Amino acid sequence: MKFVFTDKKVNLPNKVHAYAEKKVGKLDRYFKADAEAAVVFSVEKGRNNVELTVRSGGTIIRVAESTSDMFATIDAAVASVERQIRKNKARLEKRLRQDAFVRTVDEEESSFAPETEEEDFSIVRTKKFPIKPMTVEEAVLQMNLVDHAFFAFKNIDADGAFSVVYKRNDGGYGLIEDEA
């Protein structure tokens, strides 16, 4: 597994990066050889934040954790990734390494993430509506008018490509565009 560490507005000692590499490296058994882990460290308002993104093939798993201690935050992020993998075990088995879910003796005692029952994806409602061509500004306005967290539209500025605008946690807006 390749590691990319980013420190945002904080200077961390090498022992934090080494600890993160050791802990995140334990996730290597779930992923194929091409896996890459991006770890972003930051400190805001006295809270230590870790954003962990693991990419392997077409699979991307991302978690963000925040605690008062950077080492505990790293542990929590790794546990969250394990929890996501176990929760979606049946769907991920084809994408991960073949022996990813074979347990070892020492792992059973030290695992942070308890086994949870996998839930089915069940579509409880289907909506059909025409996707109208509009600008990004119009889409943001429409999203705010209907008081939704996201809004799908055909982006006039991108030759009618399918796009989605969404509200971000920081109060701004995001745009997702189809590459085609």
Side-chain angles (χ1 to χ4, degrees), residues 97-108:
R97 266 189 23 200
Q98 284 200 308
D99 58 347
F101 294 105
V102 176
R103 296 192 129 228
T104 58
V105 175
D106 63 336
E107 173 195 338
E108 289 180 19

Side-chain angles (χ1 to χ4, degrees), residues 11-106:
N11 257 341
L12 294 174
N14 286 337
K15 68 179 184 178
V16 173
H17 290 198
Y19 183 80
E21 190 169 333
K22 177 184 167 196
K23 289 295 186 174
V24 175
K26 291 181 179 181
L27 297 172
D28 195 31
R29 67 185 188 87
Y30 292 110
F31 301 101
K32 297 176 181 167
D34 66 341
E36 179 182 302
V39 185
V40 179
F41 301 98
S42 63
V43 176
E44 290 180 29
K45 298 178 184 171
R47 303 286 293 171
N48 295 287
N49 305 318
V50 171
E51 292 177 24
L52 172 59
T53 306
V54 181
R55 290 179 171 84
S56 177
T59 305
I60 299 173
I61 298 176
R62 183 185 176 280
V63 298
E65 293 292 338
S66 177
T67 67
S68 58
D69 176 55
M70 191 60 80
F71 295 103
T73 307
I74 293 167
D75 291 341
V78 170
S80 291
V81 169
E82 284 185 327
R83 198 174 312 109
Q84 281 189 16
I85 290 171
R86 287 204 175 99
K87 184 177 176 185
N88 297 292
K89 180 178 175 180
R91 290 174 207 87
L92 289 172
E93 277 182 318
K94 296 174 192 89
R95 295 180 177 205
L96 300 178
R97 266 189 23 200
Q98 284 200 308
D99 58 347
F101 294 105
V102 176
R103 296 192 129 228
T104 58
V105 175
D106 63 336

Side-chain angles (χ1 to χ4, degrees), residues 10 24 31-34 45 57 81-82 90 121 124 127 133 135 153 155 168-169 177 180:
V10 66
V24 175
F31 301 101
K32 297 176 181 167
D34 66 341
K45 298 178 184 171
V81 169
E82 284 185 327
F121 294 137
V124 294
K127 283 186 172 183
T135 65
F153 66 104
N155 192 345
R168 294 178 45 89
N169 291 337
E177 292 183 315

